[in-house]
Amino acid sequence: MAKESSQRPSSQDAPRRPPHRPPQRPPHRVVVIVDENSNPFELSCAIEVFGLRRPELGRELYDFQLCSPQRRTVMRDGFFTLTDVADLDAAESADTLIVPNRPDTEVPRRPAVLDAVRRAHARGARLIGFCSGAFTIAEAGLLDARRAACHWMWADSFRARFPAVRLEPDVLFVDDGDILTASGSASALDLGLHVLRRDHGAEIANAVSRRLVFAAHRDGGQRQFVERPVPAIPDESLAPLLAWAQERIGEPLSVADLAAHAAVSPATLHRRFRAELGTTPLAWLTGERVALACRLIERGEERLDVVAARSGLGTAANLRARLRRETGLSPSAYRRRFGRGPAEVMLP
């Protein structure tokens, strides 16, 4: 009989234990209430930003669900009917609740919907209103003495019905902490990407915006597009100039440099930025530089003077001030929240 070996197996022979990883939190739960005559476009924006799975990003961004107070919901102008979604009970577990919006702003919302919105707010859920969604939140009594945005076309009506709300009628969106409102249809994407940036950082928001072929960052304070006469000879698009500037965003570019490259006067450039982007050239440059600084911090750069220099913000003091204004966080707090772990893959 073979003699049993008394030697212990070597560490190379022993099965390797997987490295300990802290348990992951369940993804943030986003629920959209869809009601009769809701706008399909804003619903699609919510699905694009919060609902689609994006495995290439290496994480699950959100747990997403639609719900409705009725089994069959006819969307705006009868374009289609939504069926077989969850009932309003789904709103009770939402971390973020997106409220209904629709063009018939004078028609009262359903009491059941308003009650669901009030309960969500009372337990600490974040509320989002796209376009006329501000009417829903205000009708629930949750916007008194608070800032909000709505479409410029309904500004007078909103003020008349809700005089206690601090309406900002000429901006893309308003972030008032736990209640966020967007002005018009397209600004739903701006606000959605802003929320994504707030939740997951500039790197993730930038990656999603590239998939959407949409501007990665338009500050909420930018002006809404309003009706303007169509010029006899329209201006050329700013897209080539923006692409040129983005490749040099870390350089000491000035508004005069942008105007010179576009072969126009600074005054003409300012007018074109206002008309096409709803902002000024300087504000656009600053926003792009802050976004680049955020990505550099997320990718592991810890030297603030290096981040400031590479992003074009100049000094660490200016970087701190601009980052706090944009994100509400200091550079160190931003790094703790969004910094890339050693095993994470850098996004393209």
Side-chain angles (χ1 to χ4, degrees):
M1 181 180 296
K3 190 173 181 180
E4 187 176 335
S5 173
S6 61
Q7 293 183 343
R8 294 182 179 178
S10 68
S11 59
Q12 293 181 345
D13 298 328
R16 293 183 178 180
R17 295 182 178 178
H20 173 72
R21 297 181 184 274
Q24 291 187 340
R25 294 181 179 179
H28 186 99
R29 181 169 171 77
V30 177
V31 176
V32 182
I33 300 179
V34 187
D35 203 359
E36 185 177 7
N37 213 27
S38 285
N39 291 321
F41 182 83
E42 287 84 343
L43 175 60
S44 299
C45 291
I47 293 172
E48 280 284 349
V49 176
F50 302 110
L52 297 188
R53 295 188 182 278
R54 303 186 185 276
E56 71 275 12
L57 300 183
R59 69 177 76 168
E60 187 175 0
L61 300 180
Y62 298 100
D63 175 20
F64 182 84
Q65 190 171 19
L66 303 179
C67 72
S68 177
Q70 53 197 0
R71 295 183 62 85
R72 294 172 56 85
T73 303
V74 179
M75 302 295 288
R76 178 178 179 175
D77 295 333
F79 287 138
F80 61 87
T81 299
L82 194 67
T83 61
D84 298 326
V85 299
D87 60 27
L88 277 180
D89 288 344
E92 302 300 327
S93 59
D95 299 308
T96 290
L97 185 65
I98 302 178
V99 306
N101 69 318
R102 62 193 193 198
D104 50 344
T105 57
E106 299 301 319
V107 177
R109 270 54 176 174
R110 296 172 187 269
V113 169
L114 296 178
D115 287 343
V117 173
R118 294 185 189 104
R119 287 195 300 272
H121 182 260
R123 60 179 171 76
R126 179 171 59 191
L127 301 181
I128 294 178
F130 292 146
C131 195
S132 59
F135 282 81
T136 303
I137 302 175
E139 194 172 338
L142 303 176
L143 278 178
D144 287 358
R146 299 190 63 159
R147 299 164 54 237
C150 78
H151 197 287
W152 60 267
M153 188 172 63
W154 293 313
D156 291 341
S157 171
F158 188 93
R159 284 197 188 96
R161 288 185 60 189
F162 309 110
V165 181
R166 295 161 53 194
L167 182 67
E168 299 185 11
D170 203 26
V171 299
L172 292 180
F173 62 83
V174 166
D175 180 345
D176 201 40
D178 59 345
I179 299 180
L180 301 92
T181 47
S183 58
S185 295
S187 61
L189 278 176
D190 290 298
L191 178 53
L193 289 170
H194 169 79
V195 171
L196 184 64
R197 188 181 306 111
R198 201 171 99 171
D199 292 346
H200 295 281
E203 191 82 358
I204 293 291
N206 198 55
V208 172
S209 71
R210 285 199 301 270
R211 272 107 177 130
L212 297 176
V213 196
F214 191 77
H217 176 76
R218 291 203 299 169
D219 186 79
Q222 293 185 27
R223 295 169 60 88
Q224 297 181 37
F225 294 113
V226 297
E227 292 181 313
R228 300 180 177 90
V230 178
I233 302 177
D235 288 331
E236 295 181 1
S237 170
L238 287 171
L241 175 64
L242 301 183
W244 176 84
Q246 285 171 330
E247 292 177 356
R248 298 162 177 80
I249 206 68
E251 300 175 11
L253 284 178
S254 66
V255 174
D257 295 327
L258 296 181
H261 184 78
V264 297
S265 69
T268 297
L269 185 71
H270 191 282
R271 176 180 57 78
R272 288 176 58 183
F273 263 76
R274 278 293 190 189
E276 189 167 329
L277 300 181
T279 190
T280 65
L282 181 59
W284 180 85
L285 275 173
T286 301
E288 291 295 314
R289 285 169 170 157
V290 171
L292 176 56
C294 289
R295 295 198 296 274
L296 292 171
I297 293 172
E298 291 176 34
R299 291 176 176 181
E301 180 56 69
E302 297 185 356
R303 297 164 296 176
L304 295 189
D305 55 340
V306 173
V307 173
R310 289 181 59 188
S311 64
L313 290 173
T315 66
N318 190 41
L319 167 64
R320 290 189 186 93
R322 294 292 181 180
L323 192 67
R324 186 174 290 279
R325 178 184 180 276
E326 179 63 31
T327 69
L329 300 172
S330 66
S332 58
Y334 190 91
R335 183 182 300 111
R336 286 194 300 270
R337 181 169 177 180
F338 298 117
R340 181 169 60 92
E344 292 184 48
V345 178
M346 188 181 299
L347 297 170

